[in-house]
């Protein structure tokens, strides 16, 4: 990985502002960075010399005078976001202003090849600043060194298989996949304009992304929102089992309940959650009944979330959670058990995790360029 050049503090500040804006004139940069025009002119010259900024056109002001417009230069580089999903691997490469440069998708077993495909599509010579990998697991640092990896065997093997495709020396940051999706909802989805909310993902597994004050809450062990660890069942004479709640609410149990109740006259039993929801739309009474019961269960889980966090807003995501058919039942059960809380369906859908991971990667990529600020002052 090409090391970022050492920048003065003012050049670092201007670079961060330029990355956020995408393009800007020097007066605009001065206003956004809170710096004087002479300081910005010097900073822009420094960034141009380092090929971190480049002249990209002109703009006419209200007085009719033209002003030079600047964007990121070729040395600013790119970042990579990888979503190691339960079935698919999705990868996005982005410039440090968030512009999409490359994307690739493949199966979970093809993770390394998908990463290589996306890397090959990035602009030649653009330094790779950082990689963010979204995994369905808590992440932890290894006992020796600072390398991050999944904390359990749940995501470890697929992460190790994918990691061989990453260029050596590039910083790799792991983030929980539900946290990444919550970031996508915050910036581009159903929670835009909200500073505090819960993103409740219901699919093969369950999880909660907690956003407080515009920031993801990760917890002391990085395990905030691991709803699978809630004690279940919890009743007289019944012993809670490890991750039993996820087993009960997850898509596999939903399909098992459908299979147990499915009448022969309704044809083949749905084999996927998508097929089950389609049968409900078609008017199959058993499918409707199973989904309604699922909505009640999700509503009870939402009530538990609300009791602890009082988030004001819950966004439902995941392969079953995002389907609008469960929304009325979730709202009704939550209203029965808890205080008023808005509940809406996800707007970013299946791409939420990789979109959120890309946003996080861009933020970290800009930091790799600006973190040496002051070294030349």
């Amino acid at each position: 990985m090409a090391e970022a050049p050492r920048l003065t503090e003012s050049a670092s500040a201007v670079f961060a502002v330029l990355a956020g804006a995408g393009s800007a004139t020097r007066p605009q940069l001065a206003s956004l960075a809170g710096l004087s025009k002479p300081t910005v002119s010097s900073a822009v010259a420094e960034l141009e010399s380092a090929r971190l900024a480049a002249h990209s056109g002109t703009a006419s002001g209200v007085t009719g005078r033209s002003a030079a417009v600047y964007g990121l230069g070729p040395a600013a580089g790119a970042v990579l976001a990888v979503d190691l999903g339960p079935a698919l691997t999705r990868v996005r490469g982005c410039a440090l202003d968030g512009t999409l440069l490359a994307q690739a998708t493949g199966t979970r077993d093809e993770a390394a090849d998908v990463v290589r495909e996306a890397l090959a599509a990035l602009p030649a010579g653009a330094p790779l600043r950082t990689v963010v990998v979204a995994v369905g697991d808590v992440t932890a640092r290894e006992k020796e060194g600072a390398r991050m990896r999944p904390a359990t065997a749940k995501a470890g093997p697929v992460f190790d298989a994918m990691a061989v495709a990453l260029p050596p020396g590039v910083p790799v940051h792991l983030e929980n996949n539900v946290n990444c999706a919550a970031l996508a909802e915050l910036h581009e989805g159903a929670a835009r304009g909200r500073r505090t909310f819960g993103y409740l993902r219901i699919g093969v597994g369950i999880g909660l992304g907690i956003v407080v004050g515009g920031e993801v809450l990760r917890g002391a062990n990085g395990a905030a929102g691991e709803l699978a660890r809630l004690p279940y069942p919890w009743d007289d004479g019944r012993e809670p089992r490890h991750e039993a709640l996820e087993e009960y609410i997850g898509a596999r149990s939903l399909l098992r309940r459908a299979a147990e109740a499915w009448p022969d006259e309704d044809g083949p039993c749905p084999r996927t959650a998508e097929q089950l929801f389609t049968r409900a739309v078609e008017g199959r009474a058993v499918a409707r009944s199973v989904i309604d019961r699922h909505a009640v269960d999700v509503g009870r889980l939402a009530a538990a979330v609300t009791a602890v966090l009082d988030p004001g807003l819950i966004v439902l995501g995941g392969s079953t959670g995002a389907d609008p058919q469960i929304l009325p039942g979730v709202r009704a059960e939550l209203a029965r058990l808890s205080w008023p809380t808005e509940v809406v369906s996800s707007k970013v859908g299946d791409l939420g995790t990789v979109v959120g991971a890309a946003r996080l990667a861009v933020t970290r990529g800009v930091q790799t360029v600006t973190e040496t600020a002051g070294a030349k002052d």
Side-chain angles (χ1 to χ4, degrees):
M1 180 191 73
E3 290 190 5
R6 295 183 179 275
L7 300 175
T8 60
E9 187 173 351
S10 56
S12 175
V14 170
F15 180 83
V17 166
L18 184 58
S23 64
T25 64
R26 280 180 289 186
Q28 289 171 333
L29 290 171
S31 176
L32 291 169
L35 298 172
S36 68
K37 291 181 180 179
T39 299
V40 167
S41 293
S42 177
V44 168
E46 181 183 341
L47 294 173
E48 283 189 290
S49 176
R51 301 175 68 239
L52 292 172
H55 181 267
S56 62
T58 57
S60 298
V62 293
T63 62
R65 298 177 61 182
S66 295
V69 176
Y70 296 90
L72 296 183
V79 297
L80 203 68
V82 183
D83 171 17
L84 293 179
L88 295 178
T89 297
R90 293 184 173 92
V91 183
R92 284 193 170 194
C94 296
L96 296 195
D97 62 1
T99 301
L100 181 63
L101 301 175
Q103 56 184 339
T105 303
T107 67
R108 185 179 175 90
D109 294 336
E110 298 170 334
D113 291 334
V114 176
V115 169
R116 292 188 184 100
E117 180 183 344
L119 286 171
L122 294 177
L128 187 63
R129 297 299 182 189
T130 194
V131 178
V132 169
V133 183
V135 295
D137 197 359
V138 176
T139 62
R141 296 197 179 276
E142 293 185 331
K143 293 181 180 179
E144 297 181 4
R147 181 172 179 259
M148 294 185 70
R149 61 172 294 102
T152 72
K154 184 185 296 185
V158 68
F159 170 75
D160 291 338
M162 177 279 304
V164 301
L166 298 176
V170 178
V172 178
H173 177 79
L174 270 66
E175 182 57 271
N176 178 266
N177 57 354
V178 180
N179 287 345
C180 289
L183 284 173
E185 296 291 349
L186 172 66
H187 294 287
E188 304 178 35
R192 290 183 68 176
R194 305 291 285 265
R195 300 279 293 170
T196 298
F197 69 97
Y199 170 77
L200 182 57
R201 173 175 283 183
I202 308 293
V204 174
I206 61 175
L208 177 69
I210 305 167
V211 175
V212 178
E215 300 289 337
V216 171
L217 179 66
R218 294 177 172 84
N221 297 298
E226 287 293 308
L227 298 180
R229 299 298 180 94
L230 284 173
Y232 179 85
W234 194 351
D235 200 356
D236 291 343
R238 306 182 71 187
E239 188 74 15
R241 303 189 316 276
H242 181 72
E243 298 188 351
L245 182 61
E246 182 171 77
E247 178 185 335
Y248 173 75
I249 294 185
R252 293 186 183 92
S253 289
L254 175 67
L255 292 173
R256 175 182 52 77
R257 286 190 283 272
E260 291 171 352
W262 201 259
D264 293 337
E265 58 269 24
D266 278 2
C269 180
R271 300 178 62 86
T272 66
E274 182 180 9
Q275 291 176 358
L276 178 64
F277 280 91
T278 298
R279 297 293 186 274
V281 171
E282 293 170 351
R284 306 293 176 90
V286 171
R288 180 74 269 157
S289 175
V290 171
I291 289 173
D292 286 347
R293 171 58 191 272
H294 186 59
V296 169
D297 290 333
V298 175
R300 291 171 180 172
L301 184 58
V305 169
T306 301
V308 175
L309 297 177
D310 187 21
L313 170 68
I314 291 179
V315 179
L316 296 178
S319 58
T320 65
D323 194 292
Q325 292 185 71
I326 77 165
L327 196 56
V330 174
R331 286 172 170 167
E333 188 67 2
L334 177 58
R336 185 180 76 85
L337 295 173
S338 192
W339 40 83
T341 302
E342 184 180 359
V343 184
V344 299
S345 298
S346 166
K347 288 187 177 180
V348 296
D350 294 342
L351 294 178
T353 296
V354 74
V355 168
R359 179 171 286 275
L360 183 58
V362 166
T363 299
R364 289 185 170 272
V366 172
Q367 289 173 349
T368 65
V369 176
T370 61
E371 64 189 4
T372 56
K376 291 176 59 177
D377 286 346

